[in-house]
Amino acid sequence: MRKHILILTAGFLILSIFYAGLKTFADKGRSYYEETGEVVWDINTKDKIVALTFDDGPHPKYTAGVLDLLAKYEAKATFFVVGGNAEKYPELVLRTYTEGHELANHTYTHPFKISVTDLQEELRQTNEMIYSITGFYPVLFRPVGGNYNDKMINAAVKDGYKVVMWSWHQDTQDWKQPGVSKIVKKVLNGTKPGDVILFHDGGGNRTQTLKALEEILPTLKKEGYTFVTVSELIESKQQQEAVK
């Protein structure tokens, strides 16, 4: 009987240590990271500003199309660039930068699973590639697929990045090609001040994204919205907090 009690006690201690470890290394959650400022999803503001973001480019057809539309409606956006694509299409990276948009880091090979060490190397490679084209080092990083853990966040922050996600209600899922009308309705029905809206300008056929933007941009502009970069959005929040 005593032997069984000792076994049960030992098992309980092992489980306690295991769950304590999980609590230590598990995702701390949105509220924690928003409080520290290490990760941004969106901001709380009354100003009618939103940040359009584009992942997985550049692409010779779709990124160029997005840039044409942004220029037409005097909109600024943030492009989360894949380093390998930047190497293939440096002229598009330079055009994006010279037209006043923000360049950000989306890894070099777009891996959905990656170790922290490999992530740091991919971020370094992408930043060096973008710098070699523009003379600018990105300071924003978006995890591939929005997948992250505490170790990844800690490593990215240590290397000088701010991690950027997107508003949970503003994932257009345009990569699934759900139809132009669905993309348009998703954005227009959900937009509110301070949103970070997720689109893609690479990684597949983005014709629907372009057609959706043809409706989204003029409509939101008519409603009084201004399209800013993510860094401008963050700066707006900081200025509001400084006034309080």
Side-chain angles (χ1 to χ4, degrees):
M1 182 70 176
R2 185 177 179 183
K3 182 179 180 181
H4 288 307
I5 293 173
L6 289 172
I7 292 173
L8 287 172
T9 301
F12 176 77
L13 288 172
I14 292 171
L15 284 173
S16 297
I17 293 169
F18 174 74
Y19 283 114
L22 282 180
K23 186 176 181 180
T24 302
F25 296 105
D27 169 30
K28 293 185 176 73
R30 176 169 174 169
S31 59
Y32 170 84
Y33 284 119
E34 283 188 320
E35 187 175 341
T36 63
E38 295 171 346
V39 185
V40 175
W41 281 264
D42 45 40
I43 70 165
N44 182 22
T45 181
K46 293 181 180 179
D47 296 334
K48 299 189 80 171
I49 54 176
V50 293
L52 306 176
T53 65
F54 297 87
D55 287 8
D56 300 353
H59 184 281
K61 178 180 179 180
Y62 304 117
T63 303
V66 170
L67 290 172
D68 289 343
L69 286 168
L70 293 174
K72 181 179 179 179
Y73 294 104
E74 301 177 306
K76 298 305 178 188
T78 301
F79 290 79
F80 288 86
V81 174
V82 174
N85 291 338
E87 184 175 8
K88 292 178 184 177
Y89 310 110
E91 69 284 354
L92 281 170
V93 175
L94 184 59
R95 179 187 169 186
T96 302
Y97 181 70
T98 56
E99 291 186 5
H101 304 291
E102 183 167 29
L103 297 172
N105 199 317
H106 199 44
T107 74
Y108 201 86
T109 63
H110 200 264
F112 284 95
K113 291 184 178 180
I114 190 171
S115 68
V116 171
T117 301
D118 288 342
L119 171 64
Q120 290 177 297
E121 177 59 20
E122 291 228 355
L123 293 178
R124 185 197 66 78
Q125 283 182 295
T126 300
N127 258 26
E128 290 297 336
M129 178 56 62
I130 292 173
Y131 179 80
S132 71
I133 299 168
T134 66
F136 167 76
Y137 278 117
V139 295
L140 305 180
F141 157 58
R142 174 172 283 164
V144 175
N147 298 316
Y148 69 87
N149 57 42
D150 291 343
K151 290 183 178 179
M152 291 171 63
I153 299 298
N154 292 339
V157 170
K158 182 180 178 181
D159 289 344
Y161 296 94
K162 184 180 288 289
V163 181
V164 178
M165 302 298 283
W166 55 84
S167 302
W168 283 341
H169 60 285
Q170 287 288 20
D171 181 355
T172 64
Q173 297 191 344
D174 57 342
W175 59 275
K176 293 182 178 180
Q177 300 184 58
V180 175
S181 62
K182 285 190 176 181
I183 298 172
V184 172
K185 288 179 181 177
K186 179 75 172 180
V187 175
L188 296 185
N189 291 343
T191 296
K192 64 180 189 295
D195 278 355
V196 175
I197 306 172
L198 173 61
F199 297 99
H200 294 77
D201 64 321
N205 187 328
R206 302 299 174 231
T207 301
Q208 291 184 5
T209 303
L210 291 176
K211 290 182 178 179
L213 285 169
E214 290 174 358
E215 297 184 47
I216 292 168
L217 289 169
T219 301
L220 289 181
K221 187 172 183 180
K222 188 176 181 180
E223 291 177 2
Y225 279 96
T226 299
F227 307 101
V228 300
T229 66
V230 170
S231 286
E232 288 172 334
L233 196 71
I234 295 170
E235 183 179 353
S236 173
K237 179 184 178 182
Q238 293 171 340
Q239 289 174 347
Q240 290 180 32
E241 291 176 344
V243 173
K244 292 179 181 179

